[in-house]
Amino acid sequence: MHLGLYYICSVTIVSAFSVLKSRGFDPALQHVDVTGAHRFIAPAASDLRGPCPAMNAAANHGYIARNGYTTLQESLDASPDIAFFLATLVDVQTGDGNHFSIGGPPDKSLPVVGGLLGQPRGMSNSHNRFEGDASPARGDLYQFGEAYLTKMPIFQGLYDLPGNVAIPTTTSICSANIPLFAVHKESVAQNPYFFRGFISFLLPPGTHAFIARMFANHSADYPDGFLGRDTLKSFYAMSGPDNELVYSPGNERIPENWYRRAADNLYTAPFFDSDLYNIFGKHPELVAFGGNTGTVNSFAGLNIADLTGGAYNAETLLQGNNLACFLFQSVAVAAPDLIRQTGVIADVLSAVNKINSAVAQATGGLGCPQLNRYDYDSSQLSKYPGYTKLTKQGTY
């Protein structure tokens, strides 16, 4: 059975401009089994677990390999465009192009493809390549020395906001956007290495949206989803009363009696685009690439018009599907540098072709403008220590 869980890897809600409506509720088709072969089994010490609560939960229930070492095909589910894009990205940026670890580096006994330049680092060491600063639940890498564990004060801010959120409503949209803006401001104010590159610009905001989109439970009363605190606790490995939450890293669970999104209401690229509009339309100051330059509150942005030869600018970025188009296209342009920086995959061209194919699939229905020029050069990022000081091992 497919879970529809992959989307939450980095952990963001329904657009005020395009409210999605389910066409009904089918308990037999939407129920996710957590018994028998898919019962919860706590991970062993040797099992790999990392920053994505959905992937951890999927492994704990045997929907992907329980050891946490999975493949591109195994991780694909539900809507092909977004899922294929994200799965391909994490496969290339954190694995060997065929396998990847949902946690740290895989044990040498696990299979990897031949001809690699180094050991794959896994999702836990994917800073700026998949994971980024200003997560809704995890800390920034430079501040904490790791970015794969949930930080209780950050999670508490997310947990305390709505109490329970019915989806879709514009009230839940506004509530869910608050933590993204607050966490962003806090990171800029506390992390001198804060950085938002071409991938980390796309995924942290996206994962804020994925929380409500993909973790919400569905029922006849709430065919479009209802996100409650108990559901959040289960997916984030939390237990205990509201005022004494206890975090058990790696023990994320799919809740009992949990029903996924309907097959006729999948989270596709156009829906993701509408979420981005809502998020950045409410907080246009978040529409900025760049980062701090070595001190807190020193954010300096890159000029989008200069990057794209005028195809996009700060004013046109929020028109039509331009924002989603620009973000997906930016990932494709930055991919060669990012792959080389990992020092793992030797066949860069093949890996880039995989990402280009995934980007093309994700943007196929968006009507994106053609980029005749994209003046991306990694030297433009030289003033950002959050980019320049990051090692191939994904550490500072």
Side-chain angles (χ1 to χ4, degrees):
M1 175 186 289
H2 295 304
L3 287 176
L5 289 175
Y6 184 83
Y7 305 125
I8 312 92
C9 299
S10 230
V11 186
T12 14
I13 297 263
V14 175
S15 169
F17 311 114
S18 178
V19 175
L20 305 180
K21 281 291 184 182
S22 171
R23 299 173 192 171
F25 174 67
D26 188 326
L29 291 178
Q30 291 177 240
H31 182 253
V32 175
D33 184 20
V34 292
T35 64
H38 295 298
R39 70 190 185 280
F40 172 82
I41 299 178
S46 59
D47 290 336
L48 297 158
R49 298 294 185 267
C52 175
M55 296 297 277
N56 291 346
N60 290 337
H61 287 274
Y63 280 102
I64 64 171
R66 287 189 180 270
N67 66 359
Y69 191 58
T70 186
T71 66
L72 174 64
Q73 185 58 46
E74 187 179 49
S75 62
L76 285 174
D77 58 19
S79 171
D81 50 8
I82 294 292
F84 183 62
F85 169 76
L86 290 176
T88 301
L89 190 62
V90 71
D91 186 40
V92 168
Q93 296 290 1
T94 75
D96 63 8
N98 187 41
H99 313 84
F100 65 91
S101 160
I102 68 173
D107 187 87
K108 294 184 185 300
S109 64
L110 295 171
V112 295
V113 301
L116 298 181
L117 301 176
Q119 183 187 28
R121 304 305 302 171
M123 289 180 66
S124 292
N125 300 292
S126 63
H127 192 64
N128 292 346
R129 297 165 188 143
F130 191 76
E131 171 273 325
D133 291 328
S135 160
R138 292 174 286 101
D140 290 358
L141 175 63
Y142 180 76
Q143 290 178 274
F144 294 93
E146 52 76 24
Y148 54 84
L149 295 174
T150 294
K151 297 295 179 283
M152 290 302 297
I154 304 175
F155 175 79
Q156 193 74 50
L158 173 68
Y159 185 74
D160 287 344
L161 270 173
N164 286 295
V165 177
I167 304 168
T169 69
T170 54
T171 300
S172 70
I173 296 164
C174 295
S175 296
N177 283 344
I178 292 172
L180 170 61
F181 183 57
V183 169
H184 175 87
K185 288 201 305 182
E186 186 173 282
S187 287
V188 172
Q190 297 182 3
N191 179 7
Y193 277 32
F194 175 82
F195 179 69
R196 297 183 78 195
F198 297 104
I199 290 179
S200 55
F201 183 97
L202 173 66
L203 292 179
T207 51
H208 280 263
F210 300 155
I211 293 171
R213 288 292 202 191
M214 306 309 297
F215 282 164
N217 204 353
H218 298 77
S219 65
D221 290 335
Y222 293 96
D224 301 300
F226 188 91
L227 181 62
R229 285 183 167 180
D230 286 344
T231 301
L232 273 177
K233 285 169 65 174
S234 185
F235 274 118
Y236 276 92
M238 298 289 175
S239 59
D242 289 352
N243 61 344
E244 294 182 7
L245 292 175
V246 176
Y247 173 44
S248 301
N251 284 266
E252 292 80 357
R253 292 176 180 247
I254 301 169
E256 294 184 4
N257 299 313
W258 189 75
Y259 296 82
R260 61 177 185 165
R261 295 176 67 91
D264 61 4
N265 191 31
L266 299 178
Y267 193 48
T268 60
F271 294 164
F272 179 63
D273 186 30
S274 69
D275 280 345
L276 292 178
Y277 269 110
N278 183 52
I279 292 168
F280 293 123
K282 182 176 176 63
H283 295 295
E285 59 270 43
L286 295 177
V287 186
F289 285 98
N292 283 340
T293 57
T295 58
V296 298
N297 288 318
S298 60
F299 187 92
L302 291 172
N303 189 302
I304 294 172
D306 289 346
L307 281 174
T308 63
Y312 302 104
N313 58 49
E315 187 174 300
T316 62
L317 204 58
L318 293 178
Q319 297 175 1
N321 292 326
N322 284 348
L323 181 60
C325 289
F326 172 66
L327 293 176
F328 283 120
Q329 290 169 335
S330 296
V331 169
V333 171
D337 272 348
L338 291 169
I339 294 167
R340 292 189 188 98
Q341 287 168 11
T342 64
V344 173
I345 294 178
D347 189 354
V348 174
L349 179 60
S350 177
V352 168
N353 286 339
K354 280 188 176 182
I355 289 181
N356 286 341
S357 176
V359 168
Q361 186 167 323
T363 58
L366 299 180
C368 295
Q370 183 68 37
L371 281 183
N372 295 319
R373 193 177 104 214
Y374 199 118
D375 295 332
Y376 166 73
D377 186 316
S378 60
S379 66
Q380 297 175 61
L381 308 179
S382 61
K383 61 185 172 185
Y384 304 118
Y387 174 82
T388 61
K389 301 294 186 182
L390 188 70
T391 70
K392 290 182 178 181
Q393 288 71 41
T395 59
Y396 288 118

